[in-house]
Amino acid sequence: MNNTQTNYGYVSIFFHWLSALSIFTLFGLGYYMVELTYYHEWYKTAPELHKSIGVLLFVIMVVRLVWRYKQVTPAHLTSHSTLERKAGKLIHSILYLLIFIIMISGYLISTADGRGIDVFALFIIPGFGSFIENQEDIAGLIHQWLAYLLITLSLLHAIAALKHHFIDKDKTLNRMIGKRQKN
Amino acid sequence: MKKTITKLAITSLLTGAIFMPAVNAADYVIDNKGAHASINFKIKHLGYSWLTGRFDKFGGKFSYDPANVSASKIEVNIDTSSINSNHAERDKHLKSDDFLDVSAFANAKFVSESVTEKADGRLAVTGVLTLHGVSKTITIDAQATGEGKDPWGGYRAGFSGTTNIALTDFAIKMNLGPASTHVQLDLYIEGIKQ
């Protein structure tokens, strides 16, 4: 359950993959929904789902960050070079930062008129209106372009993990899919 | 004294008759500061109801002389990014390239070319509307609402007008369905005499 010096616990692993699944679902849904024609049956549903999953991801990410700071972080693999460690650390920080900026900018689009965000028709996140002029457009541009950046960096992050797994044949990816390594 | 005034009145009336459009047509500036003007639009939603909205930022001027209506002129400039349908997500969509593409076409403009008074007293204001980068001649069915002194030392004249345009005429590509191919523009204009 808990992280150790050598391994990620199941909670951390669960949060990682749940975030990954949510982010790629959100990206796909977002990319798809803006191209829908007006009479398409998903025209209303897709944005509602996108916003609901987005709010859910925010909750996941906050709990994930709290969990991260309460837990020990497993030590770097000794096989990783200094450059790999630094690049990995930097990209992880950027990923976290981007996820939050994208979620906040998404919130600022939908709430620019003071409307709240309906989450799965269960409850409503209140809106506080606009803080800047044309907020929905500016937040929209940030949301869109940082989402492209996030997906690009996520893919790099995934390619790096696969490189460690198949080329370096080390435990980097195994640690994140729950395969325990000794010592 | 009285004679002089009468003389002056007759003289000005005569000269006025000769130079009527230039002398008598008054120039007005649309009162957007006091927001006594609005440019509204409405379009059918699915054919079941009307969706209304407006442009919050615009300006313009007109000249108008009730004695010589055909000499009237009007010019209105609209900031397209100020479109407001009371729903931020929709406004964002309306400003995107599916509709007005305001990053490329930040302004819309109407410049009149002719004004004719119809038998029923209504005005046909024909001119060029430039919207979404497309310029097309349209006719606004207008009506003088009233004119006169305001309580603060100025002089005002008001008009209302309406016109119907097809989205495709202005190369707006989003298809909103068979009942929503046209949008009605409703203008309520009050001008302050300069």
Side-chain angles (χ1 to χ4, degrees):
Chain A
M1 200 63 73
N2 290 307
N3 292 357
T4 65
Q5 280 298 323
T6 49
N7 287 301
Y8 287 104
Y10 288 119
V11 176
S12 295
I13 291 171
F14 173 73
F15 278 139
H16 172 266
W17 291 107
L18 186 60
S19 311
L21 180 70
S22 307
I23 288 162
F24 278 89
T25 304
L26 282 167
F27 182 76
L29 209 49
Y31 194 80
Y32 169 74
M33 71 186 195
V34 295
E35 298 301 330
L36 289 177
T37 54
Y38 198 62
Y39 275 64
H40 196 284
E41 59 177 323
W42 276 78
Y43 187 85
K44 252 176 75 68
T45 317
E48 283 168 3
L49 209 57
H50 182 88
K51 289 185 277 182
S52 298
I53 297 172
V55 171
L56 204 65
L57 177 65
F58 184 81
V59 177
I60 294 166
M61 287 304 296
V62 170
V63 179
R64 184 181 171 187
L65 273 185
V66 171
W67 182 258
R68 185 192 162 103
Y69 284 109
K70 292 209 163 205
Q71 292 282 303
V72 291
T73 304
H76 286 288
L77 295 177
T78 46
S79 60
H80 289 175
S81 70
T82 319
L83 179 69
E84 281 177 323
R85 286 177 200 185
K86 283 188 173 162
K89 197 161 187 155
L90 180 68
I91 212 165
H92 292 155
S93 309
I94 295 172
L95 289 174
Y96 276 111
L97 189 67
L98 284 176
I99 293 165
F100 276 96
I101 297 174
I102 293 166
M103 290 188 296
I104 291 165
S105 59
Y107 169 86
L108 292 175
I109 299 170
S110 295
T111 59
D113 52 17
R115 278 184 177 74
I117 295 178
D118 203 335
V119 182
F120 296 114
L122 293 174
F123 59 94
I124 292 170
I125 305 290
F128 296 97
S130 282
F131 301 95
I132 50 166
E133 201 176 359
N134 292 324
Q135 178 173 301
E136 66 273 22
D137 307 309
I138 294 159
L141 284 173
I142 293 169
H143 194 72
Q144 181 185 2
W145 290 102
L146 291 190
Y148 289 138
L149 183 61
L150 174 65
I151 292 303
T152 309
L153 291 182
S154 306
L155 291 174
L156 268 178
H157 167 79
I159 289 166
L162 292 173
K163 180 244 178 201
H164 280 289
H165 191 75
F166 291 108
I167 296 172
D168 302 341
K169 299 192 191 308
D170 64 23
K171 302 283 184 186
T172 310
L173 184 59
N174 279 341
R175 285 208 300 189
M176 201 36 96
I177 57 176
K179 281 191 184 167
R180 296 292 159 125
Q181 66 159 358
K182 296 200 175 79
N183 77 27
Chain B
M1 185 70 186
K2 206 176 177 188
K3 248 184 191 167
T4 334
I5 290 174
T6 320
K7 219 176 180 179
L8 210 80
I10 290 167
T11 323
S12 62
L13 213 71
L14 284 173
T15 46
I18 298 160
F19 303 107
M20 203 154 60
V23 175
N24 283 358
D27 290 323
Y28 293 84
V29 167
I30 293 171
D31 184 19
N32 52 13
K33 270 189 195 157
H36 293 110
S38 58
I39 296 174
N40 305 344
F41 64 87
K42 65 175 185 175
I43 185 165
K44 281 268 178 72
H45 183 228
L46 307 170
Y48 307 145
S49 68
W50 287 106
L51 179 279
T52 72
R54 66 184 195 203
F55 291 94
D56 286 342
K57 288 183 191 162
F58 59 91
K61 56 186 183 181
F62 60 86
S63 63
Y64 175 69
D65 169 14
N68 186 11
V69 167
S70 60
S72 303
K73 282 185 166 61
I74 179 161
E75 183 179 328
V76 180
N77 289 289
I78 301 168
D79 174 355
T80 51
S81 74
S82 72
I83 193 166
N84 179 357
S85 70
N86 193 26
H87 187 4
E89 288 177 0
R90 179 169 55 216
D91 293 342
K92 176 176 179 288
H93 194 192
L94 293 174
K95 286 180 263 185
S96 77
D97 59 3
D98 275 348
F99 291 93
L100 296 179
D101 197 4
V102 304
S103 58
F105 309 107
N107 291 292
K109 191 161 86 168
F110 176 75
V111 182
S112 72
E113 286 180 337
S114 75
V115 178
T116 48
E117 192 168 11
K118 293 185 280 191
D120 61 357
R122 298 180 75 88
L123 309 169
V125 183
T126 302
V128 176
L129 174 66
T130 304
L131 176 69
H132 192 234
V134 179
S135 295
K136 261 203 149 61
T137 300
I138 61 159
T139 298
I140 299 171
D141 176 30
Q143 198 171 13
T145 310
E147 67 174 301
K149 284 181 187 163
D150 66 30
W152 317 286
Y155 190 94
R156 292 168 189 253
F159 298 86
S160 64
T162 181
T163 191
N164 206 32
I165 58 170
L167 296 178
T168 51
D169 279 353
F170 292 88
I172 292 167
K173 70 175 184 188
M174 187 79 182
N175 181 0
L176 294 168
S180 312
T181 56
H182 287 66
V183 62
Q184 185 177 319
L185 296 171
D186 294 315
L187 299 95
Y188 298 94
I189 300 295
E190 182 181 279
I192 305 171
K193 203 185 221 174
Q194 297 304 293

